[in-house]
């Protein structure tokens, strides 16, 4: 899942649950890999945490196997590896090797990208429900402002706030942290400049979790140039887009003509920066979290914003003409369905004219 979705908290709670209910005689061990850049970094940090002397070799895989064999003495234990995304390329010579050697051990990995291992079971974290998002905002607001309550008339405002924040826990916690001096209406208005608002969370120790912008920075820095370019251009869409629209609007750098756009979008989805949005009426559409879209749009403003907006406008102007013509045919129902799904994109285009 994306940054701020609560992967670390869930992993820690899972560790407590397993320790109390699954009889893990080898215990539960937590390793934060955020500082790791190499396979050797992973091996040293894991060995230090497990208090297992590391027998190093020039070959990292051989060192990993030695560590894995030493782990077998712990018998049944759970090893939580947090923040694996920046070293995901080393999953096959660490986690995979340890799984093969330690049959009784359990491994729980948090990452913004799946490791791609054969026996890997992936659980994607979704945003909170609106009800849970409202409850989290209220809980955090009361923690810094005892007596904080939401009147019935304010509930729609708070619902709009949590929905604009994609119902992502970190963003909600940071916004609720503003409740000491700001009303929910003031917070709602400040979301137009959300990255100035969403900072200085209470009790958040990691720098990348101190602001919403830093959380997205962490993912941005792990992207290739092609992926960054594509994500920036995704930001001109509103409420999602089809693959056909993406092909018309997104232009990858000239030096990457051989790279398929579908593959690039798939890479962004695998890194939790865009997602497939399935709806009963519109089918499958690609979409971005609103904070990610806002971040990417700010980056696009530094370069080719007008060009991307121009292609977006051209595509939807042509689509609008096609749909208008189809309204007078037996295909009117299908045309109306498409129009309904793209209404936000059409509205953005109209504001530019």
């Amino acid at each position: 899942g994306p940054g701020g979705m609560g992967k670390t908290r869930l992993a820690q709670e899972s560790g407590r649950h397993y320790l109390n209910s699954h009889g893990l005689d080898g215990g539960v061990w937590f390793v934060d890999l955020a500082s790791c850049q190499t396979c050797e970094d992973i091996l040293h940090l894991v060995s230090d945490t497990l208090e297992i002397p590391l027998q190093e070799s020039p070959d990292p895989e051989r060192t990993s196997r030695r560590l894995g064999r030493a782990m077998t003495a712990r018998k049944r234990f759970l090893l939580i590896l947090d923040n694996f995304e920046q070293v995901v390329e080393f999953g096959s010579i660490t986690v995979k090797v340890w799984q093969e050697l330690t049959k009784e051990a359990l491994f729980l990995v948090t990452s913004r990208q799946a490791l791609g291992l054969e026996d890997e079971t992936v659980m994607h974290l979704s945003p909170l429900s609106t009800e849970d998002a409202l409850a989290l905002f209220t809980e955090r607001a009361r923690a810094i402002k005892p007596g904080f309550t939401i009147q019935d008339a304010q509930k729609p405002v708070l619902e709009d706030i949590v929905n604009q924040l994609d119902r992502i826990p970190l963003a909600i916690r940071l916004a609720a942290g503003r409740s000491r001096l700001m009303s929910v209406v003031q917070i709602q208005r400040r979301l137009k400049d959300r990255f100035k608002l969403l900072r200085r969370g209470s009790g958040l120790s990691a720098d990348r979790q101190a602001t919403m912008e830093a959380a997205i920075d962490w993912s941005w820095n792990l992207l290739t140039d092609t992926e960054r370019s594509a994500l920036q251009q995704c930001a001109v869409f509103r409420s999602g887009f089809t693959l056909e629209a993406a092909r018309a609007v997104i232009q990858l750098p000239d030096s990457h003509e051989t790279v398929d756009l579908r593959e690039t979008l798939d890479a962004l989805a695998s890194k939790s920066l865009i997602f497939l949005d399935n709806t009963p009426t519109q089918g499958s559409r690609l979409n971005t979290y609103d904070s990610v879209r806002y971040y990417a749009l700010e980056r696009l403003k530094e370069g080719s914003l007008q060009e991307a907006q121009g292609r977006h406008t051209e595509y939807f102007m042509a689509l609008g003409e096609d749909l208008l013509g189809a309204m007078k045919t037996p295909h009117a129902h299908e045309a109306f369905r498409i129009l309904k799904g793209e209404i936000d994109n059409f509205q953005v285009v109209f504001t530019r004219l």
Side-chain angles (χ1 to χ4, degrees), residues 1-27:
M5 196 64 84
K7 298 181 293 296
T8 299
R9 287 174 180 269
L10 181 59
Q12 291 171 333
E13 286 299 319
S14 298
R16 295 187 186 97
H17 170 74
Y18 267 85
L19 186 62
N20 294 329
S21 62
H22 285 67
L24 299 177
D25 49 5

Side-chain angles (χ1 to χ4, degrees), residues 74-92:
R74 299 292 172 93
K75 297 184 178 179
R76 188 167 175 79
F77 68 94
L78 170 64
L79 179 60
I80 301 173
L81 300 169
D82 193 36
N83 297 305
F84 211 101
E85 56 269 0
Q86 82 282 3
V87 286
V88 70
E89 63 191 286
F90 304 118
S92 61

Side-chain angles (χ1 to χ4, degrees), residues 67-121:
L67 179 57
R69 284 190 288 270
M71 288 180 185
T72 59
R74 299 292 172 93
K75 297 184 178 179
R76 188 167 175 79
F77 68 94
L78 170 64
L79 179 60
I80 301 173
L81 300 169
D82 193 36
N83 297 305
F84 211 101
E85 56 269 0
Q86 82 282 3
V87 286
V88 70
E89 63 191 286
F90 304 118
S92 61
I93 57 175
T94 53
V95 179
K96 182 180 179 181
V97 167
W98 301 337
Q99 277 185 308
E100 294 171 351
L101 294 172
T102 57
K103 301 300 182 181
E104 293 186 272
L106 302 172
F107 298 89
L108 176 58
V109 176
T110 75
S111 176
R112 302 184 188 189
Q113 179 179 1
L115 273 62
L117 303 181
E118 183 178 352
D119 297 327
E120 182 178 16
T121 299

Side-chain angles (χ1 to χ4, degrees), residues 77-273:
F77 68 94
L78 170 64
L79 179 60
I80 301 173
L81 300 169
D82 193 36
N83 297 305
F84 211 101
E85 56 269 0
Q86 82 282 3
V87 286
V88 70
E89 63 191 286
F90 304 118
S92 61
I93 57 175
T94 53
V95 179
K96 182 180 179 181
V97 167
W98 301 337
Q99 277 185 308
E100 294 171 351
L101 294 172
T102 57
K103 301 300 182 181
E104 293 186 272
L106 302 172
F107 298 89
L108 176 58
V109 176
T110 75
S111 176
R112 302 184 188 189
Q113 179 179 1
L115 273 62
L117 303 181
E118 183 178 352
D119 297 327
E120 182 178 16
T121 299
V122 179
M123 184 179 77
H124 294 280
L125 293 192
S126 300
L128 298 173
S129 67
T130 299
E131 181 179 352
D132 287 342
L134 293 174
L136 177 60
F137 186 101
T138 303
E139 174 192 326
R140 297 312 305 159
R142 286 176 179 167
I144 63 172
K145 187 178 181 180
F148 174 87
T149 58
I150 294 295
Q151 306 298 324
D152 289 342
Q154 295 175 313
K155 189 172 181 181
V157 175
L158 186 53
E159 288 181 350
D160 180 64
I161 290 172
V162 298
N163 285 323
Q164 283 198 59
L165 297 176
D166 305 303
R167 303 188 305 282
I168 292 178
L170 174 62
I172 294 170
R173 289 173 177 274
L174 293 172
R178 295 295 192 174
S179 299
R180 189 192 310 274
L181 298 176
M182 298 173 64
S183 69
V184 292
V185 173
Q186 290 173 317
I187 292 173
Q188 182 190 42
R189 291 172 180 167
R190 288 284 303 279
L191 284 177
K192 294 178 181 179
D193 195 6
R194 65 181 59 202
F195 291 138
K196 288 185 179 179
L197 177 75
L198 303 179
R199 57 179 63 244
R200 297 177 186 172
S202 175
L204 299 170
S205 57
D207 289 344
R208 66 187 180 283
Q209 297 285 300
T211 73
M212 198 63 201
E213 185 173 21
I216 302 174
D217 272 336
W218 179 262
S219 293
W220 177 264
N221 291 333
L222 298 177
L223 298 180
T224 65
D225 290 343
T226 302
E227 291 164 355
R228 290 176 184 174
S229 176
L231 182 60
Q232 286 175 341
Q233 294 171 77
C234 286
V236 300
F237 294 102
R238 292 292 178 88
S239 301
F241 53 94
T242 63
L243 182 59
E244 179 186 357
R247 291 193 185 282
V249 174
I250 299 174
Q251 289 188 358
L252 299 180
D254 292 340
S255 59
H256 299 90
E257 290 181 351
T258 59
V259 178
D260 182 70
L261 177 60
R262 185 192 292 268
E263 292 180 0
T264 301
L265 294 174
D266 185 65
L268 291 174
S270 73
K271 296 176 181 180
S272 304
L273 288 167

